[in-house]
């Protein structure tokens, strides 16, 4: 009996640590989201307003603008990252020596600070001396006069490209390991049956990759919804407010406008959106028993 | 045996727990309880003036017996640090430096200085009215604007001399000068900065157009006024620079991008903060001794109106050593100290990291020797300070600036001026109404 209690006792330090670093901030921020708290007025939390802060979001034009930008940004980034990562996975999943070196250095962009990447790309896209801007102009003269960050469409393309560039290496590694772990017999059998490369990819490789695609999609969606540094450093939400995503809006509301109650509510709305997406994906995973 | 093992494991766990708990608890005392020691929060970034203060602090300690501990944090963390210390009331800092736009939110954590000044016969009017306004809330002065900047027009002396162009005094002359530059060189006429975000940097040059044209951001009832006839005219003229003498890239530029563009010899003119002048003339700069300066241009027949920004020093409400903090602030504000730092810079007697050209006090701005050494730079700066206005010092300014800054960028990237200004005005009016400005 004593031994049974002892094992729970051993969990106490971990529980305290989690309570202080995770549970308390979560509960506290939820509590703040139910109050009015304008830090410009007072350092004390204001009166309890129930779900008013949540309701305010739905009548706030900025919220809807940022939600639209978030959907475009997240959707484009997730699709581009998954498609490109699968292609990179197919290219680099062969058992060759030089490929193992490339696989090792592939992770570098994911390891670099996103803020640094954002600043670097801002410089590279600078119309005066930007390296990338000049390379594009050299190869496609029609694009030499494009100011990438000055139009809604091109700024979003630039932002999505940079974020894909950050996440793709990590997701590619997931696909590489999945592809390298696939049983060779299946592919040999397909070859014997006369299946073309195209048929093999769509009928065998892709269905077998499905669980990894689902996990990769969950991770990329979560990473993208939380993306903040590249937006601040690359576009500052512009031009206009076209790349101002929800996460950036939460930051501005909390730390530039000092409306802590509303900012906390927006944070929970973002968390809610993330959870809904994850639950939908997870249900698909469990339902399809894709783990096996 | 097992029992003993269990007991010793439990004791170890309790020890770990106690370390965890004590490790997580914050010291409630905080700050400096020692009467002769104060802590001063500054932002990082190799600011010459801050370095010069630090280098001279030993003299202050000798004179007063007050020790000063400098705490340097990255600029990005400055607001967060002041706010955290303010909320906790720990008195972690006795004196803090902050950017004027942070003022409305942190003012509640700062100590008003009027009583201290009255007791010690300290005069605030040594500073130009515009910069003092940035430190004033509800008629009380909360900080000393010992580091302040004014916007000025900078231009390439060599190109202007070669093409026989006079420094422009009106916005019309600015465009003519820019066009002459573009016709004869591969430089752009001027490089503005229309980029969104960046704390509303794209509004400073716009306000010089607006204010000089008799327009304003708000009217006397705090209703948006920037979309009236004068405002639309000023904004159209500001945005139309893109059709005449501004590079297309300036649509995305922040202040730093535009300054770099000018410094790299891509444009012949730039309007920005005067502190950049020392950078243009620093060792190794391609523009050394080749940059002229002038007042910000004006509308024909009207007055030039510049914009100011300050990085003042304030005493915190939570300070445990307020008298010592006031002594330190008075020392920072001594006119001789300000002059001494700049003289050492202009005569190259101080190390490069302590170079500063920042002069904020009226007497020093008009000082004969400083003007002689600086080719009349401070007299021109003084004129700009005298005519300058400031953004409204209201708590809602960050939100208002965000709406205006977004609109400005939208107009620069193709949206029509009048409807965009009207929409911004409507959004600002709604915000002000929510905040209880109108009946």
């Amino acid at each position: 009996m004593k031994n049974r209690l002892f094992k729970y006792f051993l969990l106490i330090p971990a529980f305290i640590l989690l309570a202080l670093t995770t549970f308390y901030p979560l509960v506290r921020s939820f509590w703040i989201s139910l109050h009015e708290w304008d830090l410009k007025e007072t350092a004390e939390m204001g009166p309890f307003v129930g779900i008013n802060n949540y309701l305010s979001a739905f009548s706030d034009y900025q919220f809807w603008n940022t939600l639209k930008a978030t959907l475009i940004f997240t959707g484009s980034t997730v699709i581009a990252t998954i498609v490109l990562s699968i292609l990179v996975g197919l290219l680099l999943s062969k058992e060759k020596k030089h490929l193992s070196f490339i696989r090792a250095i592939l992770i570098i962009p994911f390891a670099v600070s996103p803020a640094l990447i954002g600043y670097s790309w801002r410089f590279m896209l600078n119309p005066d001396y930007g390296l990338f801007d000049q390379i594009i102009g050299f190869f496609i003269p029609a694009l030499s006069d494009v100011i990438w960050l000055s139009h809604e469409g091109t700024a979003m393309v630039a932002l999505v490209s940079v974020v894909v560039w950050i996440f793709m290496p990590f997701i590619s590694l997931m696909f590489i390991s999945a592809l390298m772990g696939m049983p060779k017999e299946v592919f040999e059998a397909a070859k014997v049956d006369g299946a073309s490369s195209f048929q093999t990819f769509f009928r065998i490789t892709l269905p077998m990759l499905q669980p990894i695609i689902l996990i990769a999609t969950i991770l990329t969606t979560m990473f993208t919804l939380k993306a903040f540094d590249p937006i601040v450093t690359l576009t500052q939400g512009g031009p206009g407010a076209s790349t101002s995503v929800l996460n950036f809006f939460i930051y501005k509301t909390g730390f530039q406008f000092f409306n802590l109650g509303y900012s906390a509510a927006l944070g929970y709305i973002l968390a809610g959106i993330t959870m809904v997406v994850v639950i939908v994906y997870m249900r698909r995973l469990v339902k399809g028993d894709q783990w096996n | 045996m097992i029992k003993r093992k269990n007991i010793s494991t439990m004791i170890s766990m309790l020890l770990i727990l106690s370390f965890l708990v004590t490790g997580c608890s914050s010291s409630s005392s905080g700050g400096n309880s020692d009467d002769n020691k104060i802590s001063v929060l500054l932002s990082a970034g190799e600011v010459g003036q801050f370095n010069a203060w630090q280098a001279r602090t030993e003299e202050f300690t000798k004179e007063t017996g007050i020790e000063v501990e400098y705490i340097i944090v990255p600029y990005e963390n400055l607001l967060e640090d002041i706010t955290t210390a303010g909320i906790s009331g720990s008195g972690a800092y006795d004196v803090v430096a902050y950017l004027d736009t942070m003022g409305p939110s942190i003012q509640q954590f700062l100590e008003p200085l009027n009583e201290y000044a009255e007791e010690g016969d300290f005069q605030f009017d040594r500073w130009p009215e515009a910069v003092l306004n940035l430190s004033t809330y509800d008629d009380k002065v909360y900080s000393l604007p010992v580091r302040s900047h004014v916007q000025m027009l900078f231009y390439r002396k060599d190109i202007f001399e070669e093409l026989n162009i006079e420094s422009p005094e009106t916005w019309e002359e600015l465009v003519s000068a820019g066009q002459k530059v573009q016709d004869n060189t591969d430089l752009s006429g001027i490089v503005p900065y229309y980029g969104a975000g960046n704390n509303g940097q794209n509004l400073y040059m716009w306000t010089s157009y607006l204010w000089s044209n008799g327009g304003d951001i708000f009217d006397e009832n705090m209703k948006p006024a920037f979309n009236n006839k004068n405002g639309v005219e000023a904004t159209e003229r500001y945005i139309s620079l893109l059709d005449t003498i501004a590079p297309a890239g300036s649509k995305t530029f922040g202040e730093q991008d535009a300054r770099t563009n000018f410094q790299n010899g891509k444009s012949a003119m730039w309007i920005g903060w005067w502190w950049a002048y020392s950078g243009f003339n620093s060792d190794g700069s391609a523009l050394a001794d080749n940059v002229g300066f002038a007042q910000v241009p004006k509308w024909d027949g009207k007055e030039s109106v510049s914009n100011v920004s300050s990085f003042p020093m304030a005493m915190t409400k939570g300070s445990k050593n307020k008298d010592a903090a006031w002594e330190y602030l008075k020392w920072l504000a001594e006119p001789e100290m300000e002059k001494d730092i700049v003289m050492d810079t202009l005569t190259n007697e101080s190390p490069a990291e302590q170079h500063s050209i920042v002069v904020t006090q009226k007497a020093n701005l008009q000082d004969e020797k400083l003007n002689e050494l600086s080719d009349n730079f401070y007299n021109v700066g003084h004129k700009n300070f005298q005519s300058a206005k400031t953004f409204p010092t209201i708590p809602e300014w960050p939100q208002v600036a965000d709406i205006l800054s977004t609109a400005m960028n939208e107009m620069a990237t193709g949206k029509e001026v009048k409807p965009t200004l009207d929409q911004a005005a409507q959004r600002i009016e709604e915000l002000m109404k929510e905040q209880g400005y109108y009946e």
Side-chain angles (χ1 to χ4, degrees), chain B residues 119-389:
Chain B
E119 271 177 33
D121 200 24
F122 181 91
Q123 304 301 324
F124 289 124
D125 63 3
R126 65 181 74 189
W127 287 287
E129 196 185 337
V131 284
L132 201 58
N133 281 347
L134 291 172
S135 292
T136 310
Y137 298 95
D138 299 326
D139 297 327
K140 283 183 185 161
V141 176
Y142 281 84
S143 55
L144 303 184
V146 283
R147 183 171 172 79
S148 307
H149 308 297
V150 69
Q151 293 245 309
M152 286 168 79
L153 168 71
F154 296 96
Y155 60 90
R156 286 280 296 273
K157 277 202 282 196
D158 56 342
I159 291 169
F160 272 50
E161 273 166 25
E162 196 186 313
L163 300 174
N164 204 16
I165 307 171
E166 289 288 312
S167 81
E169 287 186 6
T170 65
W171 295 117
E172 218 170 311
E173 286 174 14
L174 179 105
V175 174
S176 307
Q179 265 164 344
K180 200 165 179 183
V181 168
Q182 292 191 166
D183 291 344
N184 293 283
T185 69
D186 56 356
L187 274 73
S188 297
I190 189 168
V191 56
Y193 28 106
Y194 299 104
N198 301 303
N199 289 321
Q201 284 173 358
N202 62 4
L203 301 178
Y204 286 102
M205 197 170 153
W206 170 65
T207 46
S208 287
Y209 273 87
L210 180 74
W211 288 332
S212 170
N213 199 31
D216 211 339
I217 296 172
F218 290 109
D219 64 14
E220 64 277 12
N221 299 316
M222 291 307 283
K223 294 244 173 151
F226 54 82
N227 57 334
N228 64 15
K229 187 174 162 276
N230 291 356
V232 173
E233 193 179 27
T235 312
E236 278 172 347
R237 182 74 75 90
Y238 171 54
I239 299 293
S240 72
L241 290 175
L242 278 164
D243 303 325
T244 51
I245 58 168
S250 57
K251 291 174 196 173
T252 66
F253 286 171
E255 189 256 8
Q256 193 183 344
D257 301 310
R259 185 161 27 92
T260 308
N261 176 290
F262 177 71
Q263 198 148 11
N264 286 343
K266 302 270 183 187
S267 299
M269 291 181 277
W270 177 71
I271 291 176
W273 302 117
W274 74 342
W275 60 260
Y277 187 60
S278 63
F280 298 149
N281 287 316
S282 64
D283 293 341
S285 164
L287 300 183
D289 297 324
N290 199 13
V291 175
F293 47 84
Q295 259 193 292
V296 166
K298 59 190 179 187
W299 287 76
D300 208 7
K302 294 177 181 176
E303 290 301 310
S304 159
V305 188
S306 188
N307 206 323
V308 291
S309 163
S310 71
F311 211 94
M313 300 291 287
M315 184 198 302
T316 62
K317 212 171 247 177
S319 167
K320 308 271 193 294
N321 299 321
K322 290 199 173 79
D323 289 334
W326 175 241
E327 283 301 316
Y328 175 76
L329 285 174
K330 275 198 302 183
W331 176 71
L332 286 185
E334 277 174 15
E336 296 75 29
M337 159 113 122
E338 184 178 78
K339 189 175 163 184
D340 192 40
I341 292 172
V342 179
M343 284 286 274
D344 282 357
T345 304
L346 296 173
T347 53
N348 234 344
E349 277 175 29
S350 55
E353 66 270 16
Q354 289 176 31
H355 281 189
S356 164
I357 60 145
V358 175
V359 170
T360 59
Q361 303 190 27
K362 288 190 265 186
N364 284 339
L365 284 164
Q366 296 169 88
D367 185 87
E368 215 171 292
K369 207 162 184 192
L370 283 180
N371 276 296
E372 199 184 299
L373 282 168
S374 66
D375 201 15
N376 215 28
F377 182 72
Y378 294 105
N379 271 331
V380 176
H382 183 231
K383 276 187 193 169
N384 271 322
F385 268 120
Q386 291 294 85
S387 68
K389 288 175 80 170

